[in-house]
Amino acid sequence: MRLLASVVGLALLVAQQVVCVTPPPGADSLQACSSVVTRKEVRDLSPEEWSAYSSAVQSAYNDRWIDWFGFLHDRVAGVIHSNAVFLVYHRKMTRDYEQILQQYNPSVAVPFWNTLIDYQNPGGSPVLSDSYFGGNGNAASDNCVTGGIAGSWKLTFPDVHCLRRNFGEADTIKSWYSPEFITSVLQRSTAYSDLRAGLENTIHGLPHLSLGGDMNTMHSPLDPVFWLHHSNIDRLFAQWQAVNPDERTYAYDGTDIKNNVVSLNDHLTSTTTPVYEVMRLGYGSMCYTYSTIQAAGGSSNNLARRQKCIVRPSKATEAVRKLPPKLLSSYYPSFAKGGVVSALENELGDYDPRRPMSADGVVEHKPFVASEKMRGHMPKAGTLDNMYIKMMGANVTEVKQFEKMADEMVDALNSENYLSPYLVDLLEKE
């Protein structure tokens, strides 16, 4: 077997020329895709779409592609994390996996898991139920996952074993990062390097560490949740680009693992693909978009339309906008300016954590009321342990900086007696 040799193209559905950042030679030669698949939140898939996706994944497992991607990621892991390459390399890798699945069914797209929906109680997410990907591993049986899409898998890399997960003590997972915090990351990131650090050190790391088992290794693509998780990270990257396509389509700064200043002409690790080929969705072989981008900016078939986005009408957005001006300026600069704010940098949608829906709002539901018991008691996210930080080769100072930033934001919101619209009393019966 060998990985599909693919050209990878655009990070947003805009066909117009970028005027503020000049595309490098070669970027303009990438052809617009004749068709584009839409990546949806996994719980938004119809029964037919879920069946098609899970069937394609099983076929990829049967043909040993799952083991291949675990091997590949393990081989290059030391140079694709904790530096500028992180977002662009994983974008290409996820698209390569998607193209493998499309060999079995051309209609398939890799869904995303919007972990923000489940941040209060990740272990209770329907995504980790037997209806989807199975839950915690069985501690009495080598932490093997026995339910869901991969409950019967026998993986062969780095040795023969079952799919493993280990949530830790009492089968529970501490809270992850909230929609409030990731909205803050999106609004405060003015450069690619800001966004990369903000996503990699927060919403990326905790699910890997918390799910444990294979997800907490460098061969993490063995866990099928890996692909939904990285599809979600890529979604946030693509939305950030689409907020200001003139300046962000080809925005790429920072340093690589050797501390060299990066360039759009650099080849992605162990490939012949220059970075600029992965910077635009909808061109080359990057023939996909996200449901949230469609909801904010229009049809995926209208590639020439510039993103003109409005705020999602949500209780969460209204609640945050009522915070004192000083807090808005510190954590939500786009809200602080007043007026219309792009839905692409606002993850504050209306959805029920117990009956979740994706942020694009396509699933009808009856809005719920957050538990008053949680007013002023927004939970803090867990932290990355030293072993994980060392495995990733992460910058300890950078990691601690973002963890401190997140804790301070929670403290500030709680001091204002803020009630996050996503918090429920976990002791209440449904």
Side-chain angles (χ1 to χ4, degrees):
M1 294 185 300
R2 63 183 178 84
L3 186 61
L4 277 180
S6 61
V7 191
V8 240
L10 175 65
L12 48 131
L13 286 178
V14 238
Q16 67 179 66
Q17 283 287 334
V18 173
V19 295
C20 297
V21 179
T22 304
D28 288 339
S29 66
L30 295 176
Q31 297 296 307
C33 298
S34 59
S35 63
V36 175
V37 296
T38 300
R39 295 180 181 176
K40 301 178 180 180
E41 215 280 340
V42 63
R43 290 160 286 198
D44 267 353
L45 298 180
S46 68
E48 294 76 19
E49 289 170 328
W50 170 249
S51 177
Y53 179 73
S54 57
S55 177
V57 171
Q58 185 63 38
S59 295
Y61 161 76
N62 292 339
D63 289 341
R64 302 277 301 279
W65 281 109
I66 305 302
D67 291 302
W68 163 255
F69 279 103
F71 160 77
L72 176 65
H73 190 269
D74 185 77
R75 178 182 168 216
V76 301
V79 296
I80 63 171
H81 296 99
S82 306
N83 65 82
V85 176
F86 171 72
L87 289 176
V88 290
Y89 184 89
H90 284 86
R91 170 173 283 182
K92 172 174 169 51
M93 190 177 193
T94 304
R95 177 56 181 157
D96 286 341
Y97 174 74
E98 186 171 66
Q99 288 180 293
I100 292 294
L101 299 185
Q102 289 171 346
Q103 291 183 344
Y104 305 105
N105 187 331
S107 70
V108 163
V110 176
F112 62 91
W113 176 16
N114 187 352
T115 56
L116 303 177
I117 295 173
D118 304 301
Y119 88 98
Q120 181 186 14
N121 180 29
S125 171
V127 176
L128 297 177
S129 71
D130 288 349
S131 297
Y132 288 102
F133 295 94
N136 197 9
N138 183 349
S141 182
D142 198 25
N143 290 317
C144 292
V145 175
T146 57
I149 192 174
S152 62
W153 283 7
K154 290 297 180 184
L155 303 157
T156 62
F157 182 83
D159 51 34
V160 177
H161 68 286
C162 61
L163 174 66
R164 299 185 182 112
R165 293 198 194 116
N166 181 7
F167 293 179
E169 296 180 8
D171 292 344
T172 58
I173 298 176
K174 189 173 181 180
S175 296
W176 289 349
Y177 286 92
S178 66
E180 286 90 345
F181 181 72
I182 297 304
T183 293
S184 179
V185 169
L186 291 173
Q187 292 191 11
R188 290 194 292 179
S189 296
T190 58
Y192 170 90
S193 55
D194 299 332
L195 184 75
R196 193 281 307 166
L199 296 180
E200 185 174 9
N201 291 300
T202 61
I203 190 176
H204 167 255
L206 268 185
H208 276 283
L209 176 63
S210 302
L211 295 182
D214 287 303
M215 272 290 276
N216 192 22
T217 69
M218 287 305 195
H219 49 266
S220 48
L222 297 181
D223 192 325
V225 167
F226 172 94
W227 302 105
L228 280 74
H229 179 47
H230 276 275
S231 183
N232 192 44
I233 301 298
D234 184 64
R235 173 183 71 90
L236 296 170
F237 175 26
Q239 287 180 195
W240 179 83
Q241 289 180 296
V243 169
N244 188 348
D246 285 356
E247 294 185 359
R248 294 180 178 178
T249 299
Y250 291 107
Y252 185 56
D253 67 302
T255 58
D256 63 17
I257 196 66
K258 296 181 179 179
N259 211 33
N260 297 316
V261 175
V262 295
S263 163
L264 289 166
N265 292 308
D266 294 342
H267 285 181
L268 291 169
T269 303
S270 298
T271 77
T272 58
T273 303
V275 171
Y276 68 75
E277 289 189 1
V278 308
M279 299 303 284
R280 301 181 71 192
L281 304 185
Y283 283 71
S285 66
M286 299 297 276
C287 299
Y288 70 94
T289 186
Y290 288 95
S291 55
T292 50
I293 291 180
Q294 287 182 318
S299 169
S300 63
N301 292 322
N302 189 1
L303 296 181
R305 179 174 178 176
R306 181 184 176 85
Q307 300 291 353
K308 293 183 178 179
C309 312
I310 60 175
V311 168
R312 298 170 191 145
S314 70
K315 294 180 298 181
T317 297
E318 293 172 0
V320 168
R321 280 186 177 274
K322 292 177 183 178
L323 293 170
K326 184 177 180 180
L327 284 185
L328 287 180
S329 296
S330 296
Y331 297 110
Y332 304 102
S334 297
F335 288 153
K337 294 176 183 176
V340 174
V341 175
S342 171
L344 298 168
E345 58 177 354
N346 178 15
E347 288 296 298
L348 299 169
D350 278 333
Y351 31 71
D352 185 334
R354 289 181 173 173
R355 289 165 293 279
M357 55 177 280
S358 67
D360 59 16
V362 299
V363 177
E364 293 184 3
H365 75 299
K366 182 179 180 180
F368 81 118
V369 177
S371 172
E372 278 293 328
K373 293 181 181 179
M374 301 304 296
R375 183 176 293 280
H377 295 287
M378 186 176 181
K380 292 181 179 179
T383 58
L384 300 178
D385 64 27
N386 291 333
M387 288 184 64
Y388 179 88
I389 292 172
K390 182 178 180 180
M391 179 179 72
M392 287 292 167
N395 182 316
V396 177
T397 301
E398 188 176 83
V399 170
K400 299 304 179 184
Q401 172 190 347
F402 279 98
E403 291 178 346
K404 179 182 178 182
M405 187 186 306
D407 286 351
E408 289 176 347
M409 190 203 77
V410 171
D411 287 339
L413 295 182
N414 284 338
S415 70
E416 295 296 327
N417 209 28
Y418 171 78
L419 174 61
S420 173
Y422 310 101
L423 298 181
V424 298
D425 183 354
L426 296 176
L427 298 180
E428 287 182 358
K429 294 183 179 180
E430 296 190 35

